[in-house]
Amino acid sequence: MLTKFETKSPRVKGLTFHPTRPWILASLHNGVIQLWDYRMCTLLEKFDEHDGPVRGVDFHKHQPLFVSGGDDYKIKIWNYKQRKCIFTLLGHLDYIRTTVFHHEYPWILSASDDQTVRIWNWQSRNCISVLTGHNHYVMCAQFHPSEDMVVSASLDQTVRVWDISGLRKKSVAPGPGGLEDHLRNPGSTDLFGQADVVVKHVLEGHDRGVNWASFHPNMPLIVSGADDRQIKLWRMNDNKAWEVDTCRGHYNNVSCVIYHPRQDLILSNSEDKSIRVWDMTKRNCLHTFRREHDRFWVIAAHPTLNLFAAGHDAGMVVFKLERERPAHAIVGNLLYYVKEKYLRKLDFTTSRDTAVMQLRGGSRNPVYSMSYNAAENAVLLNTRTQNAENSTYDLYPVSADEDSSHVNSEGKRSSGLTAIWVARNRFAVLDKSHSLVIKNLKNEVTKKLTIPNCDEIFYAGTGMLLLRDTDAVTLFDVQQKRNMGNVKIPKCRYVVWSADMSLVALLSKHQVTICTKKLEVLCSVHENTRVKSGTWDDSGVLVYTTSNHIKYAITNGDHGIIRTLDLPVYLTRIKGNQVFCLDRECKPRILNIDPTEYKFKLALINRKYEEVLHMVRNAKLVGQSIIAYLQQKGYPEVALHFVKDEKTRFALALECSNIDAALEAAKSLDDKECWEKLGEAALLQGNHQVVEMCYQRTKNFDKLSFLYLITGNLDKLRKMMKIAEIRKDTSGQFQNALYLGDVQERVKILSGCGQNSLAYLTAMTHGLTEEAEKVKETVDTEKTPLPAAAPGARLLQPPPPIAQSEQNWPLLTVSRGFFDSAMMASRKAEGVAAGLAAADVDDDMGMGGGGGGDGGWGDEADLGMDEDGEVKDDDFEDAKEDAEGDGWAPEDDDLDLPADLEPTPADAGAAGEGEDGYFVAPTRGIPPTQHWTNNSALPVDHILGGNIESAFRLLHDQVGVVNFEAYKDHFMTSYSRSRTMVVGMPSAPSMYCYPQSNWKESNPKNGLPAVGLKLNDLVSRLQSAYQLTTSGKFGEAIEKFRSILLSIPLLAVDTKQEEVEAQQLREICCSYLVGLTMETARKELPKATIEDQKRICEMAAYFTHCNLQPIHQILTLRTALNLFFKLKNYKTAGSFARRLLELGPKPEVAQQTRKILQACDKNPTDEHQLLYDEHNPFDVCAASYTPIYKGAECESAPLSGAKYLPKFKGEVCRVDRVSQIGKSTAGLKIRRKVR
C-alpha cells in the first residue's frame, strides 16, 4: 500500500472520488462535508448544512453536483461551483446510510434505517419509487454499473437484488430495447398493475447483519461484508443467485467491501482497524494494512485511476496498491521498458517500438527497476515485494537477433533488493542484509564489500555507486572501497545523470537537488507536489515532472513551469521542443513543449547576448514572470526592449534609471502618480528639466518655485509669483516673494491679507518709509497701535544666484550596455555629424493636420480644400498666436513659461574669486591659472584662468564681440568649473585644485585647463532646439539657438574635424535664428491692407530659403503655399507645391499638396507683383528682412555670419546680439595650439 494523501478529521463515514478532477469528498460524523484536492494536499471547501453525521456522499459523473444524506433524514443536492446546497429531498423517516447517483438517468438511490430504499428523480425533485421488503436498517444500496439492477444490504442478514427495468421503461423513453420494445410493452402493466421495482434475488447466508454489498464492474458477481466478520462472494443469473465462497480473516465487523475496478481483487475494511486485499480467484488474503487506533468505516475506488480511499475514526487515507512507475532504461537512442511481462525496445529516432523478449511469470509484483548492459546485451530486472527481504532480481541475456523476439528467455533469479551494472561484466547487488555483493555474468559472487549504512543503491558511472540512506546520498568507489563525496538531502528516490555524466539530479519526494559528479550541490528546488521523473536537455537544463506539471531547473537555481499535465508521466528523453515519456499504462508518448523561457534564461546566464537579443526580437516572450525575472537578475534594460505595457515600461525605465524611456511612458500614461515618481527619479540624477516638467504636470507649485530658486532661474520664479497671485494662493505668493527678496511685494501681500502690523514692520525694517506710511494711513493706530521696528534689525535676504544653471547636472559617462548598443546599431551612426541633423518625428506634432496648430507654425500650414480642389474659404487668415507649451492648466494659459535652456552648469567647485593667499609656501610659485593664460589664445582658457579682461579682448579681436552683457552667465558657468575644492585639516581653509586637460605631461610651459563644455553638449542642445522648432515654440527655440551660438567661441577642440563641425553648427544656428526671428516678426505685422498682406507673403517666401532641416523646410513651404494661394498668386504657389513634394512629405500632406498644385496649374498666373524672385539666389538681411541678391553689396556679423545691408554697418548684430556688423576680425579660434 502506497499512501498518497492523509487527512486528520472527525470520523469519516462516506467517500467519493471526482471522475476527472483530483478531488475527493469526505462526509464526516460531525455533519461537515470536506472537499480535498488529494494531488495538491489542500482542503478546497467545506459544506456544513447537515444536522448530525453525514453517512452517504457521491459525485455526479458529468454535472457539477454531488449528493449527501445524513442522520437528519435529509438528502441534499449541492452544486460545488456555486458552493451551496441547491435543494433538499425529504421523505425518509430515519437515518440515511448511503446516497448514490445513477450513471445515466437523473436518479438518486438512497438507503435508510427506515427499512426502505428509495429512488429519486433529482430533476423533478420527487421520489419515484420506494423499495420495501427489508425488515431492519438498510445499510447500503448501489446501482449496477451497466444493467437495470440495484443491490441492497441490511441488518436483517440478507442482501437483496432488485430489478428496476420496469421503472426505467416507465420513466425513461425509449430505453436500451429501442422504441419497438417500449411500444410492445407500454409500462408492462396488466389488470392489477405491475410494480416499478421487483425483488429479483434475496441472498441469505450471513449470520449477522450485512453492512455492505457491491456489484462486480462487468461480471454477474456480488460481494458482501457483514457483522459475522465474513466476506461472501455471490454469483447470479436471470433465474437464481447463489453463494460462491467466503473469505475469512477479519476479526471484527466488516464495514465495507468492493471489487477492484480493473484487477481480480477484492478490497475490504473493518472495525478491526485493518484494510485487506483478497485474491478473487484463490479467495486468500494477499495484503493486510493496519492502523493502531482507528476503525475503518468506508472504502471507495477511483473510477479510472489506480487510487483508493478509506475512511476511519480519525480521518481518511488515499492510497495505491502498487507502484505505477514503468521500469525503464535508456541506452543511446534506445529506450528499454517492461510492459505486460515483455521487455520492449523503442528507437527514439525512428519511433519503432518492438518486443525484445518475454519475461518469466510467477510473480504478481511488477518490475520495480531495471539496469541494461549494452556491452554484453544483458538486463537486470529488480522486483520488490511488500516484505523487502523477499525481493528478487532477474538476470536475462538479451538476444541481438530481432527474429528471436518473443522467446521466453530463461533468466537467473536471486534474492536481493537492487542489482545494478558497475562494469562491462560485473554488477553490484544490495542484498537483504544491506551489504554490497559484486557478481559476474554467471551470477556468481566475485567479492563482498562492507559499505556505510545504506538502504538503496544507484548507478554513478563505471565502478561507482550512489549509496542512499534516510537523509543523505554517498558517492562510493567500488574499486577503491571508499567514499568519494556526500550530500545531505531528504530520502532520494531517483537519480538522473546528464549525458556526459558531469551533472546529476537527485529527486526526492518534494525536492530536486542538482549536483556535480563529485556531489557538490549546485542548487535545490522545493516542490509542493510529488516529483515523478526527470531528464537532461542537451544544453544542461534539467526538465522534470511533478504530479501535474512539466518543469525545468537550471544549475544556478532558476526554475519554472513548462506546461501542465492531466496525469503524471515519466520522462525518458528531450529533443528540441519534444519530450519523450512513458505513461502509467506503459505507453510511449511524445509531448510538445515550448523551451523558449528556459533557453532565454540560460542564454542570459551564459552571457550569450546575441542569442538573447534574437529571442527578444523574435520569440513571443510574454508574461509578468519573465519581466520579474529580468528585474530580479539585474537586467531591467533587456525587459524594457520587449515590454509593450506602458505601466510596466515606466517601472522598468525607473529601475534602470532610463529617464528618457520613463518620460516617454509617463507621457502616454499621463497619471499623477507616475509624474511624481518620475520627478523624484529625475531629481536624483539632476535632470531638472524633466523635474520641472513633472512639477508642471502635477501642478506642484511649491516644489516648482523651490526648483527655480536652487537653479537660479529668477525670471521663472517671478512668473511663479504671478501665477500664485492669479490662483489667489497668498501663502505661495508670499513664499515666492521671500525667495526673490522682493520686499515691496511682501509688504503688498501682507497688507492685502489684513496683516497690517507685519506689513508695517517689514517696510520699516527695510527702510521703505513711503510704503510704511501708506500702511499707517489705513490703520487706526489708537485701536491697533503699530509696533516699532527694533533698532539695527534687518531681515534675511536670499543670496543672489552666481550663475543660472539651466542645463542638467553632468553625469558620469558609462559605456553603453550590449543591448543598448545592439539596438542602436540598426539606427543612425552615433556621432556629432549625425546629431547636427534634426530627428524626424513620428507623431503629428509638426507634420499633421494643423502642423502643431497650438504653436508657432499656426494654421497657415493647413489649407481647407473640398473634393474638387477648390478653396473652402477665400478669406485671408494668418496663423494663430505663438502658444508656449501646453503643460499648464486652463487658468494659467495666458502665462508665458518658456524653458529657457542656457549653457552648461557648474561641474564642480564654488563660484567667486579665488585668492592665492591661502597657500603660504617658502617660495611663492605661479598659480596654474597664470600658465593657462600664457599658454593659450582661446577665450575659454583665459576665462578658466580667471583673466576675464583678456578673454573679452580675445572675443573682441576674434569674433567682434562688443556687447558683453549676454556673456555674463556663460563666463560665470565656465569659471565655476575651473577649480575644485578639497577639505583640508579641521578649521583650516579649503584647498584649491586646478583640473588640467593634459595633466599627464603638463608643466608651466604647456599646462592647459580642462574644459567642461564639449561640442557634443552643444549638439544635444541643438536637438532639443529642433524639437522646440517642430512644436512651434519659436520664442524658446530662438533663446536656445542663441545660447548655442554664444557658446561656440567658448569651446576648446583638438581636431580639425571638430573645428569644421563647430563651424557647421554656427551656420545652422544662424539660419534658424534669422528664419525664426523673421517668422516671429511676420506674425506681428498688421493684415489690414493688401500691401500688408503682400509683405506677409514676401516674408513667408523668404523663410522657405533659410537653410533649415527637411522637416522644418516642409512646414515653411506649406505656410508659404497656403498664403500665396489665398493671395491668388497661383504660379508662385505652384512652385512652392513642387518644392514641397520633392521633400517627400507624409501621404496625407502630399495628397493635399497635389490638389492645390492641380488647382494652380489650371491658372498659372500671379495676381500681385511681389519683391521675390525665386530663381535668383539671395540671402536675407537679418535686420530689414529683405533679399540681398547674389553680387549685391552686403556686410556680415563676425560671430553669427548673418548678412546685412550696408546701411546697418557698425550696429550690433540682430542675430547674436553681441558682435558688431561689418567689423574685421581674426576669425573664430577654438582649436588648441600650445605656444
Side-chain angles (χ1 to χ4, degrees):
M1 173 170 157
L2 301 168
T3 304
K4 307 306 283 181
F5 172 55
E6 260 192 281
T7 68
K8 295 279 186 287
S9 69
R11 184 183 302 168
V12 175
K13 299 295 284 182
L15 287 169
T16 176
F17 282 100
H18 193 281
T20 53
R21 296 187 179 184
W23 294 350
I24 187 167
L25 273 173
S27 59
L28 310 184
H29 200 264
N30 66 354
V32 174
I33 302 167
Q34 294 179 333
L35 176 60
W36 292 89
D37 184 321
Y38 55 79
R39 198 155 69 175
M40 299 299 288
C41 307
T42 50
L43 178 65
L44 301 177
E45 194 63 60
K46 282 184 179 179
F47 304 93
D48 187 8
E49 283 189 28
H50 278 287
D51 187 12
V54 185
R55 299 175 189 274
V57 69
D58 189 36
F59 270 118
H60 193 278
K61 196 173 178 183
H62 304 296
Q63 301 293 330
L65 304 173
F66 68 89
V67 62
S68 63
D71 286 7
D72 53 4
Y73 315 166
K74 292 174 183 173
I75 296 170
K76 288 183 178 284
I77 286 80
W78 310 74
N79 186 314
Y80 58 73
K81 281 190 177 173
Q82 296 174 6
R83 302 182 180 189
K84 65 178 183 180
C85 173
I86 49 176
F87 58 89
T88 304
L89 301 173
L90 299 173
H92 278 297
L93 307 171
D94 208 335
Y95 296 172
I96 296 163
R97 295 283 176 173
T98 61
T99 52
V100 290
F101 280 108
H102 193 277
H103 62 280
E104 189 178 347
Y105 307 140
W107 294 348
I108 291 168
L109 181 69
S110 60
S112 169
D113 286 3
D114 64 7
Q115 305 180 11
T116 66
V117 177
R118 292 179 185 244
I119 300 175
W120 313 75
N121 185 318
W122 59 265
Q123 287 180 339
S124 61
R125 303 185 186 182
N126 61 355
C127 178
I128 56 173
S129 187
V130 182
L131 285 62
T132 55
H134 285 293
N135 51 28
H136 207 308
Y137 300 165
V138 184
M139 301 298 287
C140 158
Q142 304 280 340
F143 284 115
H144 192 282
S146 56
E147 295 178 31
D148 293 330
M149 283 192 288
V150 165
V151 66
S152 61
S154 168
L155 294 190
D156 64 6
Q157 303 179 13
T158 66
V159 174
R160 287 179 179 245
V161 180
W162 313 76
D163 184 346
I164 58 168
S165 56
L167 181 69
R168 192 254 307 150
K169 287 171 183 172
K170 178 181 172 184
S171 307
V172 184
L179 189 60
E180 290 176 12
D181 181 48
H182 187 67
L183 294 172
R184 200 179 299 122
N185 304 307
S188 301
T189 52
D190 56 19
L191 187 63
F192 302 103
Q194 179 197 353
D196 297 335
V197 179
V198 292
V199 178
K200 196 169 184 181
H201 309 294
V202 178
L203 310 177
E204 296 175 316
H206 283 289
D207 300 332
R208 305 282 290 276
V210 186
N211 290 316
W212 205 270
S214 293
F215 284 115
H216 192 280
N218 43 38
M219 291 167 70
L221 297 174
I222 293 170
V223 65
S224 61
D227 288 349
D228 60 5
R229 307 176 185 178
Q230 294 177 2
I231 294 163
K232 288 188 181 288
L233 278 75
W234 315 79
R235 185 177 283 274
M236 62 183 176
N237 58 26
D238 287 344
N239 304 318
K240 62 173 182 175
W242 63 96
E243 184 181 330
V244 176
D245 208 344
T246 303
C247 299
R248 294 176 177 86
H250 282 294
Y251 47 90
N252 207 332
N253 304 340
V254 180
S255 311
C256 189
V257 59
I258 58 170
Y259 283 106
H260 193 295
R262 286 167 298 283
Q263 293 181 26
D264 291 340
L265 298 174
I266 294 166
L267 286 88
S268 65
N269 62 12
S270 158
E271 292 179 43
D272 65 4
K273 305 169 189 169
S274 73
I275 300 172
R276 290 177 184 252
V277 182
W278 311 81
D279 187 321
M280 212 171 89
T281 51
K282 296 178 182 174
R283 278 84 161 176
N284 63 335
C285 181
L286 297 173
H287 309 296
T288 303
F289 311 115
R290 300 184 191 279
R291 287 188 80 84
E292 285 187 25
H293 306 296
D294 305 313
R295 295 168 295 174
F296 282 102
W297 298 102
V298 65
I299 194 164
H302 195 286
T304 54
L305 304 177
N306 179 24
L307 278 178
F308 301 90
H312 53 78
D313 283 336
M316 66 154 176
V317 56
V318 177
F319 62 94
K320 291 199 299 190
L321 288 181
E322 59 193 18
R323 196 163 171 270
E324 293 178 282
R325 182 187 176 88
H328 65 274
I330 300 162
V331 182
N333 280 323
L334 298 175
L335 167 71
Y336 290 90
Y337 64 100
V338 178
K339 182 178 182 181
E340 295 166 354
K341 300 296 174 190
Y342 278 92
L343 178 68
R344 301 185 69 85
K345 176 174 73 174
L346 172 72
D347 191 328
F348 288 128
T349 50
T350 61
S351 298
R352 186 165 174 243
D353 190 0
T354 52
V356 177
M357 66 181 184
Q358 190 175 357
L359 308 174
R360 69 196 252 187
S363 170
R364 285 196 67 92
N365 298 307
V367 175
Y368 184 84
S369 64
M370 66 186 284
S371 179
Y372 192 85
N373 183 342
E376 296 291 340
N377 274 343
V379 67
L380 290 165
L381 303 176
N382 303 304
T383 307
R384 290 279 170 93
T385 56
Q386 192 180 358
N387 182 0
E389 291 188 357
N390 297 336
S391 300
T392 59
Y393 70 88
D394 293 278
L395 170 61
Y396 289 98
V398 178
S399 171
D401 186 5
E402 293 272 333
D403 301 330
S404 62
S405 61
H406 311 302
V407 174
N408 192 344
S409 181
E410 279 302 313
K412 299 182 178 73
R413 176 170 290 180
S414 301
S415 68
L417 293 174
T418 310
I420 287 175
W421 296 103
V422 288
R424 188 178 61 81
N425 54 2
R426 294 284 185 274
F427 62 91
V429 179
L430 184 68
D431 64 17
K432 59 186 177 184
S433 63
H434 293 266
S435 59
L436 199 64
V437 180
I438 307 298
K439 294 190 176 185
N440 61 17
L441 290 169
K442 295 176 182 175
N443 206 19
E444 298 163 344
V445 177
T446 58
K447 63 176 168 181
K448 290 189 177 182
L449 301 174
T450 54
I451 55 170
N453 182 33
C454 149
D455 58 8
E456 181 65 285
I457 59 173
F458 300 103
Y459 178 69
T462 306
M464 308 286 274
L465 287 173
L466 290 174
L467 313 179
R468 179 196 81 184
D469 60 15
T470 50
D471 64 346
V473 172
T474 305
L475 182 64
F476 185 76
D477 190 320
V478 178
Q479 299 287 334
Q480 300 178 36
K481 303 179 188 176
R482 68 190 185 96
N483 297 353
M484 307 298 287
N486 184 281
V487 59
K488 292 274 182 193
I489 60 162
K491 191 174 180 181
C492 176
R493 289 164 171 261
Y494 314 112
V495 169
V496 186
W497 286 92
S498 61
D500 59 359
M501 299 292 287
S502 63
L503 296 168
V504 62
L506 307 174
L507 311 182
S508 305
K509 189 174 180 180
H510 291 291
Q511 186 172 309
V512 177
T513 308
I514 297 177
C515 305
T516 63
K517 62 183 176 184
K518 294 182 180 176
L519 292 195
E520 295 154 344
V521 177
L522 296 174
C523 73
S524 185
V525 179
H526 183 78
E527 290 293 341
N528 292 325
T529 55
R530 291 167 186 250
V531 179
K532 293 292 181 187
S533 66
T535 184
W536 288 91
D537 181 56
D538 296 335
S539 53
V541 175
L542 177 73
V543 177
Y544 64 98
T545 58
T546 63
S547 305
N548 47 1
H549 287 115
I550 299 180
K551 298 190 166 187
Y552 67 86
I554 305 175
T555 51
N556 72 336
D558 291 329
H559 57 95
I561 297 171
I562 296 174
R563 63 169 280 176
T564 52
L565 295 170
D566 297 327
L567 293 169
V569 294
Y570 303 91
L571 302 185
T572 54
R573 173 67 59 89
I574 178 169
K575 275 188 182 175
N577 58 356
Q578 288 189 321
V579 169
F580 297 84
C581 55
L582 290 168
D583 63 15
R584 283 181 162 168
E585 277 76 49
C586 285
K587 288 181 190 161
R589 293 172 61 190
I590 298 175
L591 301 176
N592 288 322
I593 61 165
D594 181 6
T596 311
E597 185 179 318
Y598 73 74
K599 288 197 168 170
F600 177 80
K601 290 184 179 179
L602 195 66
L604 209 54
I605 292 158
N606 295 335
R607 302 184 187 278
K608 293 181 179 172
Y609 293 137
E610 289 88 353
E611 209 173 306
V612 172
L613 200 62
H614 177 75
M615 289 189 192
V616 166
R617 284 171 173 159
N618 302 315
K620 291 179 173 60
L621 278 163
V622 291
Q624 291 300 318
S625 62
I626 197 82
I627 294 163
Y629 173 82
L630 289 164
Q631 280 180 281
Q632 178 193 338
K633 295 293 176 186
Y635 294 103
E637 71 278 8
V638 185
L640 202 57
H641 287 308
F642 64 94
V643 174
K644 300 289 182 286
D645 176 53
E646 292 296 349
K647 206 157 195 174
T648 315
R649 276 184 70 80
F650 179 75
L652 288 170
L654 283 192
E655 192 171 329
C656 54
S657 302
N658 189 336
I659 297 296
D660 295 336
L663 179 60
E664 200 179 301
K667 279 178 180 173
S668 54
L669 288 168
D670 202 20
D671 174 53
K672 186 178 180 184
E673 192 182 344
C674 288
W675 285 115
E676 284 171 356
K677 283 184 183 171
L678 178 60
E680 283 177 34
L683 197 58
L684 285 172
Q685 284 195 26
N687 192 331
H688 59 75
Q689 293 165 359
V690 172
V691 176
E692 181 182 358
M693 186 191 293
C694 295
Y695 290 167
Q696 287 175 358
R697 290 291 177 105
T698 54
K699 301 197 169 39
N700 200 330
F701 296 111
D702 294 343
K703 286 186 177 178
L704 197 56
S705 295
F706 193 69
L707 178 73
Y708 290 147
L709 175 72
I710 60 171
T711 53
N713 200 329
L714 300 185
D715 293 342
K716 289 187 179 175
L717 202 51
R718 287 188 192 93
K719 287 178 183 173
M720 289 305 300
M721 190 165 72
K722 287 176 190 169
I723 289 167
E725 191 176 353
I726 292 165
R727 289 174 59 241
K728 296 187 170 52
D729 175 10
T730 314
S731 175
Q733 189 185 354
F734 187 76
Q735 198 166 9
N736 285 317
L738 273 175
Y739 290 160
L740 285 163
D742 191 336
V743 182
Q744 287 162 326
E745 186 72 21
R746 268 150 56 195
V747 172
K748 184 176 122 187
I749 295 163
L750 288 168
S751 58
C753 62
Q755 296 287 346
N756 292 319
S757 302
L758 286 174
Y760 179 74
L761 263 181
T762 306
M764 287 303 291
T765 307
H766 288 88
L768 302 175
T769 49
E770 285 180 30
E771 279 80 355
E773 288 304 319
K774 283 178 188 173
V775 173
K776 199 170 183 180
E777 285 168 14
T778 60
V779 179
D780 186 353
T781 49
E782 290 178 9
K783 288 182 182 177
T784 51
L786 292 172
R794 62 189 184 88
L795 293 182
L796 288 172
Q797 281 277 31
I802 296 159
Q804 185 177 325
S805 172
E806 273 290 331
Q807 204 182 3
N808 295 328
W809 299 343
L811 296 175
L812 282 175
T813 304
V814 291
S815 58
R816 183 174 282 115
F818 176 85
F819 297 100
D820 294 320
S821 304
M823 287 293 175
M824 295 294 285
S826 58
R827 299 177 193 156
K828 290 180 184 175
E830 291 283 320
V832 175
L836 293 175
D840 203 354
V841 283
D842 293 331
D843 55 22
D844 290 348
M845 183 163 61
M847 299 293 296
D854 62 335
W857 294 108
D859 55 2
E860 294 156 353
D862 193 8
L863 185 65
M865 300 284 290
D866 60 18
E867 289 301 316
D868 301 324
E870 293 298 320
V871 186
K872 289 179 185 172
D873 184 8
D874 270 346
D875 292 343
F876 191 96
E877 293 179 5
D878 206 342
K880 295 178 186 176
E881 285 304 313
D882 188 359
E884 297 273 349
D886 55 358
W888 293 94
E891 66 264 21
D892 305 325
D893 267 355
D894 58 335
L895 295 163
D896 189 17
L897 286 167
D900 309 315
L901 297 165
E902 281 296 323
T904 51
D907 267 341
E913 290 293 330
E915 293 185 24
D916 301 318
Y918 288 122
F919 298 96
V920 181
T923 312
R924 184 186 174 97
I926 301 169
T929 49
Q930 195 170 325
H931 298 313
W932 295 347
T933 52
N934 295 339
N935 294 342
S936 174
L938 302 192
V940 69
D941 291 339
H942 287 246
I943 296 167
L944 292 166
N947 197 337
I948 305 299
E949 187 187 345
S950 64
F952 279 171
R953 194 168 59 252
L954 287 171
L955 281 175
H956 178 76
D957 295 344
Q958 291 172 8
V959 286
V961 177
V962 291
N963 176 22
F964 291 99
E965 186 62 35
Y967 264 114
K968 182 181 176 183
D969 284 345
H970 295 266
F971 273 43
M972 294 310 296
T973 305
S974 293
Y975 179 65
S976 63
R977 284 200 187 97
S978 66
R979 59 190 180 184
T980 58
M981 298 178 86
V982 182
V983 179
M985 294 173 67
S987 303
S990 299
M991 296 176 284
Y992 290 123
C993 295
Y994 297 92
Q996 307 211 61
S997 59
N998 56 344
W999 51 274
K1000 284 184 179 176
E1001 63 274 341
S1002 69
N1003 59 51
K1005 291 186 179 177
N1006 65 2
L1008 290 170
V1011 180
L1013 184 66
K1014 304 285 186 217
L1015 182 59
N1016 279 337
D1017 299 337
L1018 297 186
V1019 171
S1020 63
R1021 280 157 64 183
L1022 178 69
Q1023 284 299 329
S1024 56
Y1026 281 153
Q1027 285 169 10
L1028 290 169
T1029 309
T1030 309
S1031 55
K1033 297 176 181 176
F1034 291 169
E1036 291 178 43
I1038 288 168
E1039 290 300 316
K1040 196 88 167 171
F1041 280 117
R1042 188 168 286 128
S1043 168
I1044 296 167
L1045 184 62
L1046 295 185
S1047 300
I1048 292 170
L1050 305 184
L1051 286 170
V1053 300
D1054 297 318
T1055 64
K1056 178 73 176 169
Q1057 174 67 23
E1058 286 180 315
E1059 192 173 21
V1060 171
E1061 283 166 356
Q1063 294 282 8
Q1064 287 175 1
L1065 183 60
R1066 181 168 74 158
E1067 289 164 16
I1068 289 169
C1069 290
C1070 176
S1071 298
Y1072 271 87
L1073 282 166
V1074 170
L1076 295 177
T1077 50
M1078 178 167 63
E1079 182 68 359
T1080 309
R1082 181 184 71 78
K1083 288 176 181 299
E1084 292 165 3
L1085 291 177
K1087 314 181 187 72
T1089 65
I1090 196 71
E1091 288 304 318
D1092 293 338
Q1093 292 173 17
K1094 281 166 68 176
R1095 176 61 179 150
I1096 285 168
C1097 284
E1098 284 170 0
M1099 289 174 76
Y1102 304 152
F1103 195 14
T1104 67
H1105 289 268
C1106 292
N1107 190 13
L1108 307 185
Q1109 295 294 315
I1111 183 175
H1112 303 135
Q1113 196 73 36
I1114 288 171
L1115 292 167
T1116 63
L1117 285 165
R1118 287 183 70 190
T1119 305
L1121 168 62
N1122 295 338
L1123 288 171
F1124 271 75
F1125 195 90
K1126 287 173 183 174
L1127 196 65
K1128 297 192 172 72
N1129 274 28
Y1130 297 126
K1131 183 182 176 186
T1132 316
S1135 77
F1136 287 139
R1138 288 185 185 87
R1139 280 174 64 193
L1140 177 54
L1141 290 170
E1142 282 169 13
L1143 290 172
K1146 288 191 175 181
E1148 60 270 22
V1149 175
Q1151 188 181 356
Q1152 187 192 19
T1153 306
R1154 285 192 191 94
K1155 278 187 182 181
I1156 299 172
L1157 181 58
Q1158 197 178 348
C1160 292
D1161 287 347
K1162 286 178 186 175
N1163 182 20
T1165 58
D1166 287 341
E1167 194 164 300
H1168 301 280
Q1169 186 67 35
L1170 300 182
L1171 188 63
Y1172 169 63
D1173 180 2
E1174 62 175 312
H1175 302 296
N1176 192 356
F1178 63 85
D1179 292 307
V1180 178
C1181 172
S1184 63
Y1185 304 126
T1186 52
I1188 303 171
Y1189 289 103
K1190 194 173 181 182
E1193 277 187 52
C1194 68
E1195 297 291 343
S1196 295
L1199 174 54
S1200 64
K1203 297 288 190 286
Y1204 290 89
L1205 292 169
K1207 64 179 179 179
F1208 295 106
K1209 185 175 181 179
E1211 294 181 18
V1212 174
C1213 173
R1214 309 290 200 279
V1215 174
D1216 56 43
R1217 294 186 177 173
V1218 293
S1219 65
Q1220 186 180 347
I1221 298 167
K1223 181 171 173 31
S1224 61
T1225 58
L1228 180 67
K1229 288 184 183 172
I1230 54 172
R1231 187 145 63 106
R1232 278 205 168 131
K1233 290 175 185 174
V1234 181
R1235 287 183 182 176

